[in-house]
Amino acid sequence: MSISRKVKKVLKKFPYDISFVVDEGIVLLEGEVNSHQEWVKIGLNIGDIKGVKGVVNEIRWKGMKEGKTRAERRENIASKNERKRLGKHEVVIIGGGIIGCSIARELSKFKVDVALVEKGPDVSLGQTRANNGMVHPGLAPSKGSLKRRLNVRGNEMYGELCEELDVPFKRVGSLILITSRTLKKYKRYLPLGLNTGFCKYILPWLVKKKADRNRLKGVEILRGDDIKKEVKGVTDDVISAVKIPSTGIVDPYELTIALYENAKKNGVDFYLDTEVVGFAKEDSMIRGVITDKGVLGAHHVVNAAGLYSDEIAELADTKEFTIHPRKGVELLFNKRIQDDVEHCLTELTLPSHPTSKGGGINPTVHGNIIWGPTAKEIESKKDTSVDKKDIDEIMERYSKVLPDFPRSEFIRYFAGVRAPSFTEDFIIRPAKEVQNLLHVAAIQSPGIASAPAIAEYSVEMLDKMGLKLERDESFDGSRRAMDRAAEMSDDELRSRIQEEQRWGNIVCTCEMVSEAEIIEAINRGAESFDAIKRRTRAGMGECQESYCLLRIADIMSKELDIPLKNVKKEWAESEFFDGTVRGEEG
Ligand SMILES: Cc1cc2nc3c(=O)[nH]c(=O)nc-3n(C[C@H](O)[C@H](O)[C@H](O)COP(=O)(O)OP(=O)(O)OC[C@H]3O[C@@H](n4cnc5c(N)ncnc54)[C@H](O)[C@@H]3O)c2cc1C
C-alpha cells in the first residue's frame, strides 16, 4: 500500500478534516483539532507508518498561541544583519549541545575550517544540561532504527573518549527488574502461578535474547538472592532481573565542555551568544549563515539545534519534520547516600511506554542519585516547570522499587525538554531541498549515549556530501580536567596551598570547591555563575548555593573586573543583584 493510502487510513480514525501531502516520504499535515494531545497523537500515528521519513505537523489545535512564527520573527533580524561579515568557514555547525560539540571535535581531526554557532552564552545549555547522564547500552531502541545502531556504537566508544578528554565515566551496569507489577495490565488473563513463571523465566530470557541480538556483552539473568546482593534494599516484589554491564554514567555538561575545549584547542572557532536567524541562499545552496551578529560564509552547514532544529530547517526553506517537545522531570538526592545505589535500575512494565524508555533510578558520577524522568508532551519548548504532581509521581513509582530509600535526602528537582520528531528516530541526513545542509536533528534520548557515534556518522555524511577530508596530523585529542580540592589528599591540598593560598579558601563547603578552582573556571572562559557551577560543581551540593553564591559572585566581580551588580546567573539580564549593592560605589 502506498504511503498516501496508509496516511488516509490513519486519518480516518480521527474525527477531523485533515488534509495532507506526501513528498518523498515527508508527510505535511494541515487542519485543526481540539487539543494539543490530539495534535501529538495524530503526528505519532502518521510517524509510525513504515516508509515515512518525516512528519511536518502544521495542524493547529484549539487555544494554540497564534502570532508570528519564530521563523518570521527571525527573518526581521536577519534582514538587519545580512550585510555584516563575520568570517568564512568550510563547515558551520549550528548548536553547542553535546551533538554540535561532538561533531566539532570530530571534524577538528581533519584539515577543515570549522565554526560552531551557539545562541547561549555557553555550550551545553539545551537538553544537554538537564538529563540523567546515562550511557544507555542500546537495548531499548527499536529494531532497524538509527537510534539503536548509533547507541550501541556510541556506548562502545565512551571509555576511550572520556579517557582522552579526562572526563569521569563509570560503567556501573544496569539492572532491568522484573517484578510482580511487570505484567499488571495482563494479570487478569494469567493465573498467579503462570504470571510468576513467566516473569521468572520467559521474560528475562526474552530481554537477554534482545540484548544478545544487539551485541551487548556479558548480559546475565539474576534471580532470588543474587538480585538482593546486587541491589541494596530492592523490593521483595522482584522476581528476576537482567544485568547489563556495559551501561555507563557520565556528566553530560562536563563532557560537552571538554569536547568544546578540545575542539577549540584544535582550531574550531566558537561563536557563543550568537543566534542563527536566517540563511543567504543561491538556488538550493546555503552560501551564508545569518546570525544576529552578522553573516558567516559556509560551504557546508550542520543543523544540530536540538529543540529548534525544525525551525532551522524552516529558515532554510526545507521543512521536513516537526519537533514535539516532551518534558522530563527529575529528582536529585544528596551525595551522602551515594552508597545506596550502585547500578542504574529500571522496572520493566509491559506494555512498555510507546515513546519513553520509562525512566529509572541512576547513580551519577559525582555521587548523587537521580530518580526520573517523567515523560509528558508539552506545548512550549521552553516549559521547564515542575509541579507537585510530577514529584509525587516519581516518588510513588520508584519507592516501589526501593521501599526503604531515604527519600528525605531529596535536594532538588529539575526538568529537561526532549526533542523528538514524530518518527521518533534520530534524523541524520542531508536536507531534502538544500544540498549543503546536514540535519542532525531529533536527537532525543539516548542522545548522550550515542553522541560519539553520531559525530562519527555525521562526518561520514559530510564526506558523502562532498566535504574534502584530509587527516590533520597535528590534532591533539587530549585535554586536562581542572584539578579539584575535593579529590586531593590532605597532603596534596596542603602542598597546593603552600604554592597558592587560594586553594585554602573553600568557597563551596558542600562540594569543597576552592577559590583557586573558581578562578581556573573563569580563566577557561566561564563568565556567569552557572558556567562556573558547571565547571567546578560549586553550588550543586546540599545547600544548593545558599552558602557560596555571594562568595563566588564577589570573586567573579574582582576577576572579571565588573561591578557586583553586573554578575550574571547565566543569560543576559539575569543579574542577581538589582540596583546598588551595599559597599559598592555607584
Ligand atoms: C529529562 C531528560 C533526560 C535524558 N536522559 C538521557 C540519558 O540518560 N541518556 C541519554 O543518552 N540521553 C538522555 N537524554 C537526551 C539527551 O539529553 C539529548 O539527546 C541530547 O542532550 C541532545 O543534544 P543536542 O546537542 O542535540 O541538543 P541540545 O543540547 O538541546 O543543543 C542544541 C543547541 O542548539 C542551540 N540552538 C538552538 N537554536 C539555535 C539558533 N537558532 N542559533 C544558535 N544556536 C541554537 C541551543 O541553544 C542548544 O544549546 C535526556 C533528555 C532529557 C530531556
Side-chain angles (χ1 to χ4, degrees):
M1 205 191 303
S2 71
I3 294 182
S4 292
R5 284 185 61 193
K6 288 182 195 163
V7 172
K8 222 181 255 171
K9 204 169 150 198
V10 168
L11 290 177
K12 263 197 195 143
K13 293 194 273 180
F14 297 90
Y16 303 108
D17 186 16
I18 308 286
S19 62
F20 73 92
V21 179
V22 181
D23 182 18
E24 293 178 36
I26 310 288
V27 184
L28 169 73
L29 299 167
E30 282 178 336
E32 189 173 304
V33 296
N34 283 341
S35 66
H36 172 255
Q37 285 104 303
E38 292 283 278
W39 176 82
V40 175
K41 206 166 157 190
I42 293 176
L44 286 174
N45 271 270
I46 300 296
D48 217 21
I49 295 172
K50 204 164 173 229
V52 168
K53 292 190 193 149
V55 180
V56 181
N57 192 345
E58 305 237 303
I59 299 172
R60 310 198 71 74
W61 64 86
K62 284 203 177 115
M64 181 175 174
K65 288 209 175 95
E66 298 290 343
K68 279 191 175 170
T69 63
R70 234 179 243 118
E72 283 164 342
R73 268 184 275 130
R74 283 194 183 123
E75 265 158 28
N76 281 336
I77 314 173
S79 59
K80 285 186 209 140
N81 290 287
E82 64 198 340
R83 284 183 204 287
K84 289 185 222 160
R85 299 270 148 208
L86 288 180
K88 199 165 181 197
H89 300 273
E90 281 168 277
V91 182
V92 173
I93 301 165
I94 305 168
I98 193 164
I99 300 303
C101 291
S102 298
I103 298 171
R105 179 181 185 258
E106 193 61 30
L107 279 172
S108 74
K109 295 177 181 170
F110 301 89
K111 289 181 183 160
V112 183
D113 178 5
V114 183
L116 184 147
V117 187
E118 164 56 52
K119 71 178 173 186
D122 194 3
V123 293
S124 181
L125 295 186
Q127 299 168 83
T128 303
R129 177 167 58 172
N131 61 70
N132 293 55
M134 181 172 168
V135 180
H136 299 272
L139 177 75
S142 53
K143 202 173 153 196
S145 64
L146 198 53
K147 254 189 195 174
R148 180 184 284 190
R149 175 173 149 195
L150 296 178
N151 185 175
V152 173
R153 168 87 184 126
N155 177 295
E156 284 167 3
M157 294 168 80
Y158 251 89
E160 198 182 320
L161 176 71
C162 290
E163 211 177 302
E164 276 184 330
L165 295 175
D166 203 4
V167 169
F169 165 66
K170 294 183 187 162
R171 285 209 190 268
V172 291
S174 57
L175 271 93
I176 298 171
L177 304 170
I178 297 168
T179 70
S180 53
R181 287 177 295 277
T182 294
L183 290 175
K184 205 167 128 199
K185 288 233 164 91
Y186 301 105
K187 240 180 176 166
R188 63 196 156 115
Y189 307 111
L190 291 169
L192 187 65
L194 203 57
N195 178 49
T196 309
F198 207 76
C199 289
K200 196 163 180 176
Y201 300 105
I202 312 282
L203 270 182
W205 178 79
L206 286 171
V207 174
K208 182 171 181 318
K209 216 168 159 235
K210 187 174 176 196
D212 293 342
R213 246 197 338 259
N214 290 4
R215 305 197 319 265
L216 311 190
K217 294 185 191 109
V219 177
E220 281 176 85
I221 295 176
L222 307 179
R223 297 189 188 92
D225 281 350
D226 286 343
I227 309 175
K228 302 229 158 170
K229 271 187 228 150
E230 289 278 350
V231 187
K232 189 174 151 193
V234 71
T235 170
D236 288 337
D237 300 337
V238 69
I239 298 172
S240 63
V242 181
K243 187 176 174 198
I244 306 178
S246 57
T247 304
I249 49 172
V250 72
D251 176 337
Y253 36 80
E254 198 170 336
L255 175 57
T256 306
I257 290 167
L259 289 160
Y260 156 67
E261 288 180 359
N262 189 245
K264 206 167 159 181
K265 174 171 148 186
N266 286 295
V268 175
D269 286 322
F270 282 81
Y271 295 81
L272 299 181
D273 240 333
T274 305
E275 181 173 358
V276 172
V277 290
F279 294 100
K281 282 177 64 193
E282 255 174 48
D283 304 321
S284 62
M285 298 283 277
I286 293 174
R287 297 292 178 208
V289 177
I290 309 175
T291 76
D292 57 353
K293 304 280 184 341
V295 184
L296 281 162
H299 289 303
H300 287 86
V301 179
V302 178
N303 172 11
L307 276 161
Y308 300 91
S309 49
D310 54 347
E311 294 173 32
I312 292 293
E314 187 177 347
L315 283 176
D317 302 321
T318 182
K319 283 190 201 178
E320 294 170 40
F321 51 89
T322 299
I323 299 292
H324 57 107
R326 186 184 296 135
K327 182 162 70 178
V329 173
E330 315 259 17
L331 306 188
L332 194 73
F333 294 86
N334 206 325
K335 295 163 78 145
R336 196 164 35 224
I337 53 163
Q338 58 184 284
D339 293 339
D340 283 28
V341 175
E342 258 182 79
H343 310 291
C344 300
L345 307 174
T346 328
E347 184 181 13
L348 182 68
T349 47
L350 293 173
S352 52
H353 192 285
T355 55
S356 152
K357 288 186 290 318
I361 295 173
N362 284 8
T364 72
V365 280
H366 300 295
N368 300 93
I369 293 164
I370 293 188
W371 284 16
T374 53
K376 185 176 171 192
E377 299 289 340
I378 49 172
E379 295 185 21
S380 162
K381 293 174 176 175
K382 290 188 174 155
D383 175 6
T384 50
S385 62
V386 175
D387 66 32
K388 189 172 171 301
K389 265 202 257 158
D390 300 316
I391 298 176
D392 291 346
E393 180 189 326
I394 300 174
M395 284 287 188
E396 197 200 320
R397 184 156 180 203
Y398 301 115
S399 296
K400 286 183 186 150
V401 177
L402 298 179
D404 301 325
F405 185 87
R407 296 191 294 273
S408 56
E409 295 287 349
F410 155 53
I411 55 171
R412 85 169 289 171
Y413 52 77
F414 61 89
V417 183
R418 305 171 182 88
S421 72
F422 287 107
T423 47
E424 292 288 334
D425 201 0
F426 297 156
I427 295 180
I428 308 179
R429 61 177 186 232
K432 197 159 114 343
E433 312 281 354
V434 185
Q435 282 178 39
N436 58 345
L437 173 65
L438 176 68
H439 294 308
V440 187
I443 312 293
Q444 56 167 323
S445 187
I448 301 292
S450 315
I454 291 177
E456 193 181 62
Y457 185 71
S458 303
V459 173
E460 279 167 35
M461 285 276 162
L462 286 166
D463 184 20
K464 285 189 188 140
M465 288 164 73
L467 178 68
K468 227 174 105 221
L469 291 171
E470 192 190 329
R471 285 267 165 200
D472 185 348
E473 298 309 328
S474 66
F475 171 75
D476 175 2
S478 67
R479 171 251 178 203
R480 216 171 86 87
M482 285 180 43
D483 292 336
R484 297 183 191 278
E487 288 164 12
M488 290 177 192
S489 66
D490 288 352
D491 282 350
E492 247 179 300
L493 186 56
R494 217 170 288 126
S495 90
R496 290 307 274 271
I497 295 169
Q498 270 166 8
E499 284 165 25
E500 164 57 88
Q501 271 191 0
R502 287 182 281 197
W503 278 101
N505 179 19
I506 300 297
V507 289
C508 166
T509 48
C510 301
E511 293 288 325
M512 202 164 134
V513 182
S514 69
E515 183 181 353
E517 288 157 79
I518 306 295
I519 292 168
E520 169 73 2
I522 294 172
N523 290 340
R524 287 186 184 220
E527 288 184 352
S528 69
F529 179 80
D530 282 356
I532 287 178
K533 196 170 158 178
R534 281 189 292 278
R535 285 158 178 82
T536 63
R537 293 198 51 77
M540 295 217 184
E542 186 171 359
C543 87
Q544 290 286 303
E545 305 168 5
S546 49
Y547 176 80
C548 62
L549 173 63
L550 270 172
R551 283 167 182 78
I552 294 172
D554 194 36
I555 299 169
M556 288 172 71
S557 159
K558 289 186 185 120
E559 289 298 312
L560 295 167
D561 198 18
I562 52 172
L564 203 50
K565 65 175 194 268
N566 290 358
V567 169
K568 286 179 298 187
K569 178 166 167 50
E570 183 93 82
W571 295 79
E573 295 173 24
S574 65
E575 287 81 8
F576 290 107
F577 311 107
D578 190 8
T580 312
V581 179
R582 192 147 48 107
E584 204 181 45
E585 295 287 311

